[in-house]
Amino acid sequence: MKLFLDWSSYENAGMGDAYADIPKHGADYAKAVAVCIGSKQCEQTGKGVMCPSYRISGNPVLSPGGRVKLLKSALNADDEQAFLNPSPALEEAMALCVSCKGCRRECENEVDMALIKAEFLAQQVAQHGLSLRRRLWGELPKILCWPIVRPLLLLRNRLGWVVRLLEAGLGISAKIRLPVPARQPFRYGSSAKDAVSVGPVDKQVVLFVDTFNHYFNPAAAEAAQKLLEAGGYQVHIARPLADDEPNRPLCCGRTYFSNGQLDKARHEAQRLLKALKVHIKAGRSIVGLEPSCILSLRDEYLKLGLGEPAKNLAEKVVLLEEFIVREQTAKRWTLAFQALPDVSRLLLHGHCHQKAVGAIKSVRKLLKQVPGLDFELIEASCCGMAGNFGVEAEHVEHAQAMAELALFPALRAEPEALLVSNGFSCQQQIQNGGFALPLHLSQVLCMALPSQE
């Protein structure tokens, strides 16, 4: 079996361990599957993220451990096609994995089911081809460049017959309102300001505006730029190179990665790496806003066979909240926040990937610095949207059940509280649940900047 991701970090996984019943097919991929020791930690409820599909069903087959058993069975079969042509049980179990990365953090052996699923999907696409819906999800970074997309989405959300037609034809749920791009996407501004570096490199930063914030929530990117500049940093905006689709924003490739199109994900990664090469060489930090996109640069890129450039990027890229807290620790960020006008209570919903890398600690540390602000982190697992998962007709009920575990009840209990959530998918799930659209942390901290008067 040809593997599409680099699994060499698992080369020695399980060597000498009695539990390491490594499947006979799948090479190092099989070893990544076999790191599971069957402790059933993934079948716990309460605090934590892992495992959303198990939590809503109580079905052990839909936990990481259950998926491992099914994967092992397929990889151990005499017929190598058992993995490439999965059983209905394996197919369903993998489809209901929302790639939250909860197991990567909360499992004692760090089973990385999100990455295991990415390889599984790539194998299925290679074997059976790409469905029109998966192609549509994957190509979103290019589709969103088309000016006609906004009016088409407005039309879709307004006309019931179009909604029903898309559900029947593509499996896009009629129960969900699709997000509509902002009237004006993020504006890069003049590149001349970026061209000349001013001051020491540790007071320069590169802002990477991902596809979703670029088109759907430019206010968050604008707020981040204003915030960083107020903190005394020269902000370079990550831009595409002049000879590489200069009119299309840089993209991490996450939509391709999540839909089994790893070659296209690799192409997007290479495009981004080329554009950031000069900044990485100069030693500037790369700061981003969307957890799933930014953490792809630290995690998935290392599995795409991109060599040293990917490793160098992984060492320099941080989420906005991580950057500010790090700079405060280094005494380079001296700006103090002021009280938020007319805001006393705030509810914070963390993106699964933020939780997976511990970045929520940085968010909480920053919110504690806002005078008079009473805030609470909602103890919830995945919101259920998980990229395109929550808008697919066959998954929408699962997605809603995940939101109803803890997130939606917490929001109903405090309807007047300000909502904060950095993840684009989380924001859409919350808004589709009938709640106010959450703000990004960058917008909240921008509101807390000292008065210019």
Side-chain angles (χ1 to χ4, degrees), residues 161-223:
W161 68 269
V162 177
V163 170
R164 293 189 294 272
L165 183 65
L166 285 177
E167 179 168 288
L170 288 174
I172 298 174
S173 176
K175 298 178 180 179
I176 297 297
R177 173 194 170 276
L178 294 179
V180 176
R183 290 184 180 276
Q184 176 63 52
F186 177 75
R187 297 180 181 182
Y188 287 113
S190 171
S191 60
K193 187 172 68 171
D194 286 351
V196 179
S197 297
V198 179
V201 71
D202 59 11
K203 292 296 288 184
Q204 298 177 39
V205 66
V206 180
L207 180 62
F208 167 49
V209 182
D210 58 274
T211 296
F212 292 98
N213 278 300
H214 179 94
Y215 287 109
F216 293 97
N217 195 13
E222 291 160 3

Side-chain angles (χ1 to χ4, degrees), residues 56-109:
I56 62 171
S57 67
N59 184 354
V61 173
L62 299 181
S63 69
R67 293 184 180 98
V68 163
K69 290 178 181 178
L70 292 170
L71 286 164
K72 281 185 175 182
S73 178
L75 290 168
N76 265 323
D78 292 334
D79 181 6
E80 294 184 24
Q81 294 297 309
F83 178 77
L84 300 176
N85 296 290
S87 67
L90 174 56
E91 198 167 28
E92 180 189 27
M94 296 307 288
L96 292 178
C97 169
V98 293
S99 301
C100 66
K101 293 184 183 284
C103 47
R104 174 73 181 274
R105 179 176 177 84
E106 297 168 17
C107 167
E108 59 267 71
N109 263 33

Side-chain angles (χ1 to χ4, degrees), residues 111-143:
V111 173
D112 195 343
M113 190 53 64
L115 198 63
I116 290 169
K117 179 178 179 176
E119 180 72 51
F120 176 85
L121 279 178
Q123 296 291 337
Q124 302 313 306
V125 168
Q127 182 77 359
H128 305 291
L130 196 64
S131 70
L132 179 57
R133 190 176 67 181
R134 282 209 180 277
R135 189 180 302 277
L136 178 67
W137 297 145
E139 297 288 355
L140 275 177
K142 294 184 178 179
I143 292 173

